[in-house]
Amino acid sequence: MSWSVGQVSGFAGVTIRTLHYYDRSGLLSPSERSPAGYRLYNGADLARLQQILFYRELGFPLDEIGDILADPQANALDHLLARRQALTEQITRLQKLVDVAERAIEVRRTGVELGPEERFEVFGDVVFDLSYAADAHLKWGERESHREALARAATHSKEDWRQLMTEAAEWRGRLLAAFDDGLPADHGVVLDLAEEHRRHITRWFTPCPPEMHCRIADDYEADARAFALVVPAAEQRPGLAGYLRTAIGRNADRHSANAPATANSANAPATATDPEVTR
């Protein structure tokens, strides 16, 4: 028996346009033609279509499907195992995104509702990019410090946010002044600004030892969305993110150099559990 394009489209659940594309690309060409020249699919063609649809459902790209079907010696199991791994990783990522959404819902429910005017009054030009929030959760979501920061942020009242942002704006003004005045990133004034920023994170979100502060600063330099949370785009200068990153690194070195001696080493580096670091 043989079937027309329309018939195959109907019972296979694919569009006629898709079947025509498969034909043009050589992925699935009908083996027969009617006397009038119309495409006709036989049983072997339908079996091949079933394989194509199976692999498509698993997310294989068409060129890879073509490679699998073109080589009788191809080890389809290897392709399937690789695809299973990719799907498993995708499921994990999507589940983490669901967690992000759930946390956002929690913040929405427990936080203070702000209208547009109130939001501008409190946050000004600081923009919270939801795509960065999602990416940050995927990157840091397993860390207790990240979970604590989200939990504490959810408890802040409007007045808390107002005070937090006022402090941040005042600090930002002094950072910009130091940068514009040409103070080097390792100048004592700039190092004190870096330390003040670290303590600000600890006071409002989560304990931030110097090593953690350096990881945060890496994001500032690598991701404009992260740095925009510290310095709005309208106030940024070329090189400012790297300047702050350097200052935070030098401040971490200063903490390490000033760490108290231990029984094992007179120059032991500070750790996240050192009281002088987490205070």
Side-chain angles (χ1 to χ4, degrees):
M1 294 182 62
S2 58
W3 296 266
S4 68
V5 173
Q7 289 174 314
V8 173
S9 172
F11 60 68
V14 295
T15 66
I16 292 176
R17 175 178 293 183
T18 296
L19 292 172
H20 285 172
Y21 177 78
Y22 288 170
D23 186 9
R24 290 194 304 273
S25 65
L27 187 60
L28 175 63
S29 296
S31 299
E32 303 175 13
R33 293 276 177 171
S34 71
Y38 293 107
R39 298 175 177 86
L40 294 176
Y41 295 83
N42 60 25
D45 297 332
L46 295 186
R48 183 179 176 90
L49 176 60
Q50 186 177 31
Q51 288 182 292
I52 293 170
L53 296 180
F54 169 73
Y55 287 120
R56 285 297 288 158
E57 184 67 20
L58 291 176
F60 280 87
L62 291 179
D63 56 352
E64 188 173 353
I65 295 173
D67 292 340
I68 295 172
L69 299 182
D71 183 4
Q73 303 302 318
N75 189 345
L77 179 60
D78 289 342
H79 290 274
L80 289 170
L81 289 173
R83 187 58 192 163
R84 182 181 68 177
Q85 178 64 28
L87 289 171
T88 299
E89 293 172 358
Q90 183 179 9
I91 290 170
T92 300
R93 183 177 187 279
L94 291 174
Q95 183 57 57
K96 289 183 177 180
L97 288 176
V98 170
D99 293 341
V100 172
E102 289 178 347
R103 288 184 179 276
I105 291 170
E106 291 175 6
V107 171
R108 189 75 175 175
R109 286 174 174 168
T110 59
V112 177
E113 294 290 339
L114 299 178
E117 292 183 0
E118 289 180 309
R119 183 172 294 276
F120 182 78
E121 173 194 346
V122 173
F123 296 113
D125 294 328
V126 176
V127 177
F128 294 84
D129 190 315
L130 291 180
S131 68
Y132 175 72
D135 289 344
H137 185 73
L138 292 178
K139 184 176 182 180
W140 308 110
E142 300 303 319
R143 294 180 179 272
E144 179 61 31
S145 58
H146 182 78
R147 293 193 292 269
E148 179 179 347
L150 290 179
R152 287 186 62 187
T155 66
H156 290 340
S157 67
K158 177 182 175 180
E159 290 308 314
D160 290 333
W161 281 111
R162 191 197 305 276
Q163 182 180 349
L164 184 163
M165 296 305 294
T166 297
E167 291 177 5
E170 192 275 334
W171 171 88
R172 183 168 66 247
R174 289 186 283 121
L175 174 70
L176 293 173
F179 183 82
D180 292 341
D181 288 345
L183 294 183
D186 59 355
H187 190 281
V189 170
V190 186
L191 296 185
D192 288 345
L193 285 168
E195 174 63 14
E196 188 177 335
H197 181 262
R198 185 183 73 84
R199 292 175 181 271
H200 177 85
I201 294 173
T202 296
R203 183 165 61 255
W204 289 104
F205 298 104
T206 184
C208 183
E211 318 89 83
M212 175 178 167
H213 200 205
C214 287
R215 290 195 298 269
I216 294 172
D218 287 340
D219 264 10
Y220 292 162
E221 189 171 18
D223 194 324
R225 300 171 301 172
F227 191 53
L229 296 174
V230 181
V231 180
E235 299 180 29
Q236 292 181 14
R237 279 80 155 150
L240 181 60
Y243 179 80
L244 178 58
R245 170 65 188 90
T246 299
I248 289 174
R250 295 293 185 271
N251 184 55
D253 294 341
R254 184 169 64 167
H255 271 273
S256 179
N258 293 333
T262 66
N264 294 327
S265 171
N267 298 302
T271 67
T273 56
D274 287 339
E276 289 301 317
V277 172
T278 56
R279 182 174 300 164

